[in-house]
Amino acid sequence: MSKIQVMSEDLANKIAAGEVVERCMNVVKELVENAIDAKASLIKVELIDSGVKEIKVVDDGIGMDKDDSLLAFSRHATSKLKSLDDLFNINSLGFRGEALPSIASVSNVLLKTSDGQSGTIVSLEGGVIKEVQSCDLKRGTTITVSNLFYNTPVRLKYLRSLYTELANITDYLNKMALSYPNIKFILINNDKELLNTSGNGDLLKTILNIYGVVVASKMLYIENSNNDYKINGYISYPELTKSNRSSITLLINNRVVRNNEIIKTILEAFHTYIPKDRYPYVILNIEVDPFLVDVNVHPTKMEVKFSKLQTLLDLIFETISQRLSEKTLIPKAIKENVEDNYYSDIKNETYEVNDNLYNSSPSSFEPKKVQELTFDFDTFHEDTSESEDKDKEKESYQEDERIKDMYPIGLVHGTYIICENKNGMFIIDQHAAAERVNYEKYYHALSTHSKNTIDVLIPYKIELPSSEYLILEKNFAILDKLGFKYEEFGSNTIIIRSHPTWLPKYAPLEAIKKIIDIIVTNEDFDEDKFNEKVSITLACKMSIKAGDVITLPDMTYLIEELRKTKNPFTCPHGRPTIIAYTKYDLEKLFKRAM
Ligand code: ZN
Ligand code: ZN
């Protein structure tokens, strides 16, 4: 019985076939998803010139019999969907069926397939079947698409540069590998291997295969659920970031999707842990009843809408914030040399980190080999689980154990506090640390609407340009809310008679001017964002600066205050406050330990 069924006209019309083959990436996507639907456990993608010359996809899936292999190239044939209802079932990857004939119509295709009993070879040129042969083949399917767009030269011109094309394909396959850790993915371009995952079902190992050992060893597992959603996956330590959001992979019921609200929520949970415009590594799996999700049924898009979005966003935010707040996140000054540390026994598995593929310039078309390592994953894995256990022990301590006791010894360049304890040496950036302390203090006072005020002996008179004064006048309610007592004085002038107690005592006027400045430059008023902005600005402007020489008791006080904060490890701009040299690092630097 043939597995491919002819799709209804109605469904066919829902699908905009034209866009499917606009780019090599879409051809790869189509063929790879066919292979997944065929239950492959190995999918190998081989490209010549980013796929423009040739795309070959090999799988070990269920294959096709002769009838199906011919039917696959007729329009509206699909084995994946029977009715329109299936389109809305997110568990089904496919809503294509149009794609294979579309691909065939603009290229040369060679299909070799076998269902384990009989093998078939079909060759097509421009969509026309040229030859059909029966022969013995191993179970699985190999499709070679060559000279894509040969008969539509106009399309070729629309292809982005070869480099961008390859970057898109790599990104796509990385994400597929993350959504199917039990499938082995291999990507080769011009004989160069860009991806090779183990396919053993272990997500952390897939992360290792894709991003490399440094990233994999700095990932935190997360897991949580509520009535509607189950989430799990990995987030990176805040010290690991990327300059674009390709490091964030969202999966819904195993399907890679895009959703800006979820990304925004993830970034909010990392807020002040990482610098602005940097992105953490995140692989987030969301399990949900398909009825709560609306997938855009466009063949090239993966956008989704949720009917209970807010409960999902809350779950994600809480889970990530909680996980980050349990961990000691002091970056080590000496990056672990992975070969030395964990991975000395070698099982001869070689891989490449191709994460920098996206960062290198388009002119260097060949992706750079960033690092080539041999390692033993099992050792690596044991090691992390062991340190997880140690972390758990640590986590059962009091909160303030996140920063162990450390004792200041002195100040370097009036900027860096040197501390020690039995574990090693620590360097604290005094401005960043003070900024964190003050930021949390201001933010807390603002968001709890602390109403304690101080009358000033000599009232402050502040004059503004009339354009700014007009905006301030419109927003007097904000000053009331903050607890200021003030009067208007003539034109464009305001007199401050009392101000909230939390303002820095040594420079209240400067702080008030900053606040007014923020009010007049942010016309649409969102309380949270306003509080945030005031807290960060005041913290930065009012904290001890680099170059201010402070005494040892000041340093001790600062460290105590830092320890009490919610996130002592970064300043509100996401820069680190503390860096560690472990005792072992020091011993290694001086060659006392090898
Ligand atoms: Zn600052
Ligand atoms: Zn800062």
Side-chain angles (χ1 to χ4, degrees):
M1 173 59 195
S2 156
K3 285 181 220 83
I4 294 194
Q5 309 194 5
V6 173
M7 190 197 275
S8 78
E9 203 58 42
D10 184 25
L11 178 53
N13 289 341
K14 283 250 168 190
I15 293 171
E19 287 180 38
V20 171
V21 287
E22 216 123 77
R23 290 161 45 195
C24 297
M25 149 74 189
N26 293 334
V27 176
V28 171
K29 183 171 184 294
E30 168 69 19
L31 300 179
V32 165
E33 288 176 11
N34 282 342
I36 292 171
D37 286 342
K39 302 181 175 66
S41 62
L42 163 78
I43 299 173
K44 184 176 179 186
V45 179
E46 284 179 69
L47 308 173
I48 300 178
D49 291 351
S50 304
V52 174
K53 272 226 177 92
E54 189 179 292
I55 298 168
K56 183 170 164 187
V57 176
V58 184
D59 75 56
D60 63 353
I62 54 174
M64 288 183 266
D65 62 19
K66 192 172 175 183
D67 292 348
D68 276 353
S69 54
L70 294 175
L71 201 49
F73 294 101
S74 74
R75 222 160 253 289
H76 310 325
T78 174
S79 61
K80 292 147 220 145
L81 292 177
K82 281 139 211 134
S83 74
L84 201 56
D85 290 341
D86 288 359
L87 267 184
F88 297 97
N89 182 353
I90 197 161
N91 293 318
S92 158
L93 268 182
F95 42 77
R96 297 166 305 276
E98 288 250 326
L100 262 188
S102 302
I103 293 166
S105 68
V106 293
S107 65
N108 297 334
V109 172
L110 182 66
L111 169 74
K112 295 181 179 176
T113 186
S114 164
D115 58 6
Q117 281 155 10
S118 65
T120 310
I121 299 179
V122 183
S123 72
L124 298 95
E125 275 172 33
V128 181
I129 294 179
K130 291 284 170 190
E131 211 184 338
V132 182
Q133 284 174 46
S134 295
C135 58
D136 280 344
L137 290 169
K138 238 173 49 183
R139 199 189 83 147
T141 301
T142 299
I143 295 192
T144 311
V145 176
S146 50
N147 302 323
L148 197 57
F149 314 114
Y150 82 100
N151 58 0
T152 51
V154 194
R155 279 259 169 83
L156 244 185
K157 161 177 110 181
Y158 288 116
L159 272 177
R160 301 188 207 175
S161 72
L162 292 183
Y163 175 79
T164 315
E165 210 50 36
L166 183 60
N168 285 331
I169 293 171
T170 311
D171 189 41
Y172 165 74
L173 280 174
N174 284 349
K175 293 197 160 165
M176 290 315 277
L178 292 168
S179 35
Y180 294 93
N182 53 347
I183 299 177
K184 182 175 178 65
F185 284 89
I186 299 172
L187 171 64
I188 294 167
N189 181 60
N190 295 346
D191 293 327
K192 194 170 172 68
E193 192 176 276
L194 299 175
L195 175 72
N196 188 346
T197 65
S198 71
N200 72 350
D202 181 340
L203 181 58
L204 189 60
K205 172 130 198 206
T206 311
I207 292 170
L208 175 97
N209 296 144
I210 293 171
Y211 297 119
V213 82
V214 175
V215 172
S217 62
K218 297 248 181 241
M219 296 299 274
L220 296 168
Y221 184 69
I222 51 167
E223 190 177 12
N224 208 345
S225 63
N226 63 17
N227 288 336
D228 301 307
Y229 298 99
K230 257 193 196 164
I231 59 170
N232 70 69
Y234 287 90
I235 58 172
S236 61
Y237 279 64
E239 67 188 89
L240 278 185
T241 59
K242 249 190 127 213
S243 59
N244 64 53
R245 48 176 70 186
S246 71
S247 56
I248 301 177
T249 304
L250 300 180
L251 307 166
I252 292 174
N253 297 351
N254 267 339
R255 181 168 178 168
V256 179
V257 296
R258 261 181 263 164
N259 184 297
N260 285 333
E261 279 122 328
I262 295 178
I263 292 189
K264 226 178 99 199
T265 300
I266 292 172
L267 294 177
E268 271 162 22
F270 271 91
H271 179 60
T272 78
Y273 280 88
I274 57 179
K276 236 180 131 198
D277 301 322
R278 301 290 303 179
Y279 299 88
Y281 290 83
V282 174
I283 292 93
L284 184 66
N285 271 307
I286 300 164
E287 273 175 60
V288 59
D289 185 329
F291 286 110
L292 287 176
V293 189
D294 181 16
V295 186
N296 190 333
V297 292
H298 195 279
T300 58
K301 281 184 198 154
M302 307 169 285
E303 265 146 31
V304 285
K305 287 197 179 109
F306 299 87
S307 49
K308 289 188 176 175
L309 179 65
Q310 197 53 48
T311 62
L312 174 63
L313 297 183
D314 291 346
L315 179 70
I316 294 170
F317 182 82
E318 273 155 33
T319 308
I320 296 179
S321 313
Q322 175 59 31
R323 193 73 175 109
L324 288 173
S325 74
E326 310 167 338
K327 283 299 223 179
T328 296
L329 303 167
I330 304 176
K332 285 180 65 181
I334 310 287
K335 295 289 171 225
E336 277 134 42
N337 186 335
V338 284
E339 273 168 311
D340 285 8
N341 267 350
Y342 303 114
Y343 319 98
S344 42
D345 293 333
I346 291 153
K347 259 192 208 154
N348 253 345
E349 198 172 348
T350 313
Y351 76 100
E352 242 172 69
V353 179
N354 51 44
D355 191 27
N356 267 21
L357 179 60
Y358 311 97
N359 298 332
S360 42
S361 69
S363 60
S364 62
F365 173 66
E366 279 299 318
K368 278 192 202 106
K369 193 173 266 193
V370 179
Q371 208 178 355
E372 194 173 312
L373 297 170
T374 42
F375 70 97
D376 178 332
F377 183 74
D378 292 326
T379 322
F380 163 76
H381 212 184
E382 263 165 37
D383 232 286
T384 44
S385 60
E386 203 184 286
S387 66
E388 274 290 316
D389 285 348
K390 274 188 221 138
D391 285 341
K392 288 227 176 71
E393 264 170 50
K394 242 188 260 162
E395 279 161 24
S396 65
Y397 281 59
Q398 291 298 309
E399 255 278 282
D400 60 18
E401 278 298 304
R402 288 175 78 201
I403 298 187
K404 288 228 172 3
D405 277 330
M406 54 179 78
Y407 312 99
I409 300 164
L411 195 62
V412 176
H413 293 172
T415 304
Y416 306 107
I417 303 169
I418 310 296
C419 302
E420 70 162 341
N421 66 18
K422 68 175 180 6
N423 299 321
M425 178 174 90
F426 301 84
I427 304 179
I428 296 179
D429 179 319
Q430 65 178 24
H431 172 69
E435 207 177 35
R436 164 58 64 179
V437 170
N438 288 325
Y439 162 74
E440 291 198 7
K441 208 166 71 191
Y442 299 148
Y443 191 78
H444 179 77
L446 281 164
S447 49
T448 54
H449 305 287
S450 157
K451 276 281 154 57
N452 299 329
T453 58
I454 297 179
D455 293 338
V456 286
L457 284 179
I458 305 158
Y460 301 122
K461 209 160 104 184
I462 299 169
E463 194 180 350
L464 293 172
S466 53
S467 57
E468 290 182 9
Y469 193 80
L470 282 172
I471 304 173
L472 180 66
E473 221 175 5
K474 262 201 297 180
N475 291 292
F476 274 155
I478 301 175
L479 291 182
D480 294 333
K481 210 168 184 174
L482 293 174
F484 284 100
K485 297 219 173 61
Y486 58 90
E487 284 157 31
E488 291 189 78
F489 183 81
S491 59
N492 305 336
T493 303
I494 184 173
I495 288 181
I496 307 283
R497 299 209 174 270
S498 64
H499 65 74
T501 45
W502 56 263
L503 286 191
K505 283 169 193 63
Y506 48 91
L509 179 59
E510 205 190 331
I512 294 166
K513 283 182 173 165
K514 286 275 170 236
I515 293 173
I516 290 179
D517 202 47
I518 292 169
I519 295 174
V520 300
T521 50
N522 286 280
E523 252 195 278
D524 74 299
F525 182 73
D526 170 277
E527 191 179 328
D528 261 1
K529 283 197 187 118
F530 175 79
N531 290 349
E532 170 77 12
K533 189 142 194 213
V534 169
S535 311
I536 293 187
T537 309
L538 292 189
C540 188
K541 293 288 177 292
M542 303 288 145
S543 297
I544 42 165
K545 304 241 166 351
D548 294 348
V549 175
I550 61 171
T551 62
L552 280 176
D554 290 340
M555 296 175 206
T556 309
Y557 179 74
L558 179 59
I559 295 165
E560 282 318 305
E561 291 296 296
L562 183 64
R563 175 176 287 134
K564 289 183 205 150
T565 59
K566 279 198 203 116
N567 167 21
F569 308 109
T570 55
C571 83
H573 304 97
R575 289 193 288 275
T577 54
I578 314 181
I579 284 170
Y581 284 84
T582 64
K583 199 166 165 241
Y584 179 71
D585 291 339
L586 296 171
E587 281 166 354
K588 246 175 61 180
L589 283 169
F590 288 100
K591 310 270 181 234
R592 287 168 177 274
M594 299 306 275

